């Protein structure tokens, strides 16, 4: 089977290694440029099931800010990012929000929860 | 309730300031105060809702606010005072801090050690001298980040971003998520200025074009930005004629660098390195002014928050140690005062412990001559510590007296000693 050469940039850590990969079909047969073995997992993931962490905001009523930041508990399939954003956009929470609160359970059936990444206390009448 | 004098005051409650305050308290500083001009703790991290924080310290990929919350919680458990919505206006080299807050008004505070952790600010249009009209719709990337992530409004629909710094690239993705179109990212340098991973996960993933060695030639539009004209530049940073392109957009974001925020440092007499824009510091993160320390983006601009935290911890530990030494030393020192018929005494201050080593000599001059025998007396209030006799005294002739080691206990009881010369 013919070998194919492809380039990737690993985004697993801030180092951002440039990877030179030799593929046989979808199988990595050789890799250069990775500073650690997580580079191999990254490429395998990119080839078979590319995923990304997604961070965005949801609306909050009655909080010190009108938004609460949220994030995917683990990376979600890349092709579903915009579907996920559309679902998240429909959510509105009521203050107080606690860090780690599950904002959406099992989003889009991926088994991945959407969590709040900070506290949003109730806005007091005084301020 | 605020105290008048603290062991450690920290200005700025970003990751550097939070870490410094926590570590100062843990090292043994008795009272620690954090002064923050925003209404909440956390600094710039509260608007950095993206992940990528904490890989080093927590071995976990966390969003900025979650990373900050960890330290905010730890701080809350340590009885550290916080003063929010309070702006430090001035600090002196003697570590007086002048601040104003909405709730407490104007405040004057003293501290044995001071930590500067004011972070940095973004370069603006004025600092990079962008030609063209001055319509609405030009923002720094960090300002836009605050609008979109905290305040909840979109500053435009079609964007061009100048600068490939991390904030600019992260905003390109963020705006795309919120339904905007990012037409282009332009970078004047021949290389990316932010992290490569942000190029991949913020630009490549969403097909946002990046053009290196390109810049904004002029901004077009009267009331609102209507387009920008871009141009390619050569190695000497000169525009290449004929490469101009009009890119329609309604908003231009600037991500053209950060500058350490050191107005206050300057006022305190802290010398700044023209290269970093931050204070010169030693291995303790102490500036040239004794007792004034600095950590985080105020010293030099970091790209990883974990390193900011580590710098804050180091700085807080040393600030506390300085304060503890200062406190000890303070209690150990006794002031020498000129009493009856004494013009001055040298030394002006005496370390009480010095008597454990040897007798200590005081030297003085009298105000008026006395041509008969006198007592030269060292007094702690009404208690006499030691005395000697002189046959006469004259202003032109210096007088000496030694405090003997046997007076050690008497001196320990004093906070001030006076010396007088009286007739026998
Ligand atoms: C937009 C952006 C994106 C980033 N993305 C990442 C990332 O993905 N991953 C990563 O690891 N790092 C990232 N960083 C870097 C990291 O967030 C910063 O390095 C870090 O926040 C700096 O911490 P600091 O405590 O020095 O400053 P800051 O967080 O800026 O805190 C300084 C604080 O001081 C206060 N202050 C200033 N002057 C006064 C005054 N006179 N009186 C009272 N208070 C005052 C300010 O209000 C502020 O709260 C990013 C930084 C920015 C700006
Ligand atoms: S290969 Fe390893 S070191 Fe290189 S970017 Fe990936 S995780 Fe980081």
């Amino acid at each position: 089977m013919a070998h194919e050469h492809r380039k990737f940039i690993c985004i697993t850590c801030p180092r951002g290694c440039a990877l030179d990969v030799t593929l046989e079909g979808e199988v990595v047969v050789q890799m250069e440029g990775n500073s650690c073995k997580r580079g191999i997992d990254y490429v395998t993931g990119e080839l078979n099931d590319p995923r990304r962490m997604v961070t965005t905001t949801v609306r909050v009523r009655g909080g010190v800010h009108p938004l609460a930041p949220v994030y995917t508990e683990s990376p979600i399939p890349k092709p579903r990012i915009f579907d996920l954003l559309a679902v998240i956009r429909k959510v509105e929470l009521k203050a107080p929000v606690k860090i780690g609160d599950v904002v959406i359970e099992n989003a889009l059936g991926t088994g991945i929860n959407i969590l709040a990444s900070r506290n949003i206390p109730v806005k007091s009448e005084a301020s | 309730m605020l105290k008048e004098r603290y062991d450690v005051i920290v200005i700025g409650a970003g990751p550097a300031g939070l870490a410094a305050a926590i570590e100062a308290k843990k090292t043994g500083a008795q009272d620690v105060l954090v002064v923050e001009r925003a209404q909440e703790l956390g600094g710039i991290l509260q608007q950095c809702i993206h992940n990528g924080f904490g890989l080093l310290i927590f071995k976990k990929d966390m969003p900025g606010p979650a990373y900050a919350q960890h330290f905010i919680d730890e701080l809350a458990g340590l009885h550290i005072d916080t003063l929010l919505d309070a702006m430090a206006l001035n600090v002196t080299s003697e570590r007086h801090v002048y601040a104003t807050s909405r709730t407490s008004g104007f405040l004057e505070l003293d501290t044995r050690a001071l930590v500067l952790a004011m972070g940095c600010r973004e370069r603006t249009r004025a600092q990079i001298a962008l030609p063209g009209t001055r319509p609405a719709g030009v923002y720094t990337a960090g300002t836009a980040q605050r609008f979109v992530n905290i305040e909840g409004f979109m500053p435009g629909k079609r964007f061009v971003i100048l600068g490939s710094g991390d904030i600019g690239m992260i905003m390109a993705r963020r705006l795309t998520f919120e339904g905007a179109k990012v037409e282009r990212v332009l970078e004047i340098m021949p290389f990316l200025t932010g992290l490569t991973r942000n190029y991949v996960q913020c630009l490549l993933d969403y097909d946002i074009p990046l053009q290196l060695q390109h810049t904004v030639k002029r901004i077009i539009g009267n009331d609102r930005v209507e387009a920008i004209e871009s141009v390619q530049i050569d190695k000497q940073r000169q525009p290449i004629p004929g490469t101009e392109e009009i890119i329609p957009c309604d908003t231009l974001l600037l991500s053209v660098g950060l500058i350490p925020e050191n107005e206050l440092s300057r006022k305190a007499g802290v010398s700044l390195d023209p290269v970093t824009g931050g204070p010169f510091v030693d291995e303790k993160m102490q500036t040239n002014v004794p007792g004034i320390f600095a950590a985080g983006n105020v010293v030099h601009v970091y790209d990883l928050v974990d390193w900011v935290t580590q710098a804050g911890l180091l700085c807080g530990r040393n600030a506390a140690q300085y304060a503890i030494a200062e406190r000890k030393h303070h209690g150990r020192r006794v002031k020498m005062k000129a009493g009856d018929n004494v013009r001055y005494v040298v030394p002006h201050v005496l370390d009480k412990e010095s008597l454990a080593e040897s007798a200590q000599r005081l030297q003085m001059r009298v105000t008026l001559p006395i041509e008969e025998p006198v007592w030269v007396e060292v007094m702690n209030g009404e208690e006499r510590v030691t005395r000697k006799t002189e046959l006469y005294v004259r202003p032109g002739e210096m007088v000496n007296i030694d405090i003997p080691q046997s007076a050690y206990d008497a001196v320990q009881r004093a906070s001030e000693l006076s010396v007088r010369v009286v007739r026998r």
Side-chain angles (χ1 to χ4, degrees), chain B residues 77-78 88 110 131 143 145 181 199 211 242 255 269 276 278 290:
Chain B
L78 284 170
D110 276 320
T143 303
Q145 188 178 46
K181 177 98 177 80
Y199 169 62
Q211 286 180 304
S255 179
T276 58

Side-chain angles (χ1 to χ4, degrees), chain B residues 104-397:
Chain B
S104 320
F106 188 75
L107 292 163
E108 267 187 74
L109 302 159
D110 276 320
T111 183
R112 296 186 175 89
L114 179 68
V115 174
L116 303 171
M118 289 92 66
C120 57
R121 67 184 128 101
E122 295 178 277
R123 278 213 178 81
T124 60
R125 176 174 178 179
Q127 283 152 324
I128 54 165
L130 271 187
T133 53
R134 311 212 135 245
V138 183
Y139 301 97
T140 62
T143 303
Q145 188 178 46
R146 190 173 172 84
F147 288 162
V148 178
N149 290 347
I150 295 185
E151 289 165 21
F153 80 92
M154 285 287 285
K157 291 197 186 75
R158 281 178 92 177
F159 291 80
V160 169
I161 299 176
L162 177 59
S164 63
D166 288 316
I167 317 173
M169 292 196 285
I170 286 164
M171 279 312 289
R173 175 179 61 185
R174 184 74 191 109
L175 293 163
T176 307
F177 279 5
E178 290 300 325
K181 177 98 177 80
V182 179
E183 300 290 346
R184 204 76 58 88
V185 177
L186 304 172
E187 171 57 58
I188 196 163
M189 304 303 281
F191 49 81
L192 197 73
T193 61
L195 296 172
T196 316
R197 69 198 301 237
N198 283 334
Y199 169 62
V200 177
Q201 62 188 359
C202 298
L203 303 188
L204 276 188
D205 274 1
Y206 304 97
D207 300 318
I208 298 168
L210 166 73
Q211 286 180 304
L212 299 175
Q213 287 186 291
H214 276 71
T215 190
V216 172
K217 187 176 172 191
R218 88 195 147 98
I219 298 169
I220 302 163
N222 290 317
D223 298 334
R224 176 85 201 189
V225 174
E226 283 162 20
I228 63 105
E229 185 177 335
S230 72
V231 67
Q232 194 181 342
I233 56 155
D234 62 21
K235 287 199 190 83
Q236 282 74 44
R237 286 219 199 178
Q238 292 307 308
I240 303 173
T243 62
E244 292 86 356
E245 183 188 353
I246 304 283
I247 309 173
C249 59
D250 61 17
T251 312
L252 172 66
L253 294 191
L254 306 176
S255 179
V256 288
L258 302 165
I259 323 166
E261 173 86 62
N262 277 291
E263 292 312 312
L264 278 181
S265 321
R266 247 182 240 115
K267 289 180 183 167
V270 169
S271 354
L272 303 180
D273 179 348
V275 177
T276 58
F280 287 106
V281 288
D282 66 12
E283 77 291 344
K284 295 190 167 80
M285 291 285 156
Q286 184 166 222
T287 69
N288 63 304
V289 181
I292 301 189
F293 297 76
N297 276 355
V298 81
V299 177
H300 60 157
V301 175
Y302 286 80
D303 40 37
L304 282 188
V305 74
D306 306 64
W307 292 352
V308 172
T309 298
Q310 286 168 350
L313 294 174
L314 173 68
C315 180
R317 190 176 317 132
N318 288 311
Q321 276 161 4
Y322 184 94
I324 291 163
E326 185 73 358
R327 188 187 268 282
K328 264 199 201 135
H329 216 71
H330 198 77
R332 266 170 53 176
R333 278 193 290 193
V334 55
K335 274 200 203 119
M336 304 304 308
K337 252 188 65 182
D340 289 348
N341 200 29
V342 175
R343 203 148 66 85
Y344 70 81
V345 188
V346 168
H348 301 82
V349 183
L350 187 75
D351 184 342
K352 292 174 184 175
E353 288 303 315
S354 63
L355 286 171
E357 304 294 320
S358 60
Q360 297 297 320
R361 171 154 299 180
L362 307 178
Q363 299 184 310
M364 73 209 73
R365 285 184 192 278
V366 293
T367 315
L368 298 168
I370 303 177
E371 299 293 338
E372 56 182 277
V374 293
W375 286 122
V376 179
E377 295 183 316
V378 178
M379 306 293 294
N380 174 20
E382 289 308 305
E383 181 193 0
R384 191 169 62 229
V385 174
T386 186
R387 73 173 174 183
K388 75 179 242 194
T389 188
E390 291 282 352
L391 295 177
Y392 66 90
V393 287
R394 291 167 192 159
E397 294 173 34

Side-chain angles (χ1 to χ4, degrees), chain B residues 6-10 21 24-25 29-34 79-81:
Chain B
Y6 281 85
D7 270 353
V8 179
I9 292 182
V10 178
K25 188 76 196 211
Q30 284 180 21
D31 23 57
V32 177
L33 170 71
V34 181
H79 304 289
I80 291 170
D81 287 350

Side-chain angles (χ1 to χ4, degrees), chain A residues 16-29:
Chain A
C17 295
L19 311 176
D20 274 313
V21 183
T22 309
L23 297 173
E24 205 174 273
E26 298 282 83
V27 182
V28 178
V29 291

Side-chain angles (χ1 to χ4, degrees), chain A residues 52 56-57 65 89 117-118, chain B residues 40 66 174 177 197 205:
Chain A
R52 295 291 184 266
T56 183
T57 52
H65 299 299
R89 200 165 291 132
S117 61
R118 64 163 287 183
Chain B
E40 55 192 13
R174 184 74 191 109
F177 279 5
R197 69 198 301 237
D205 274 1

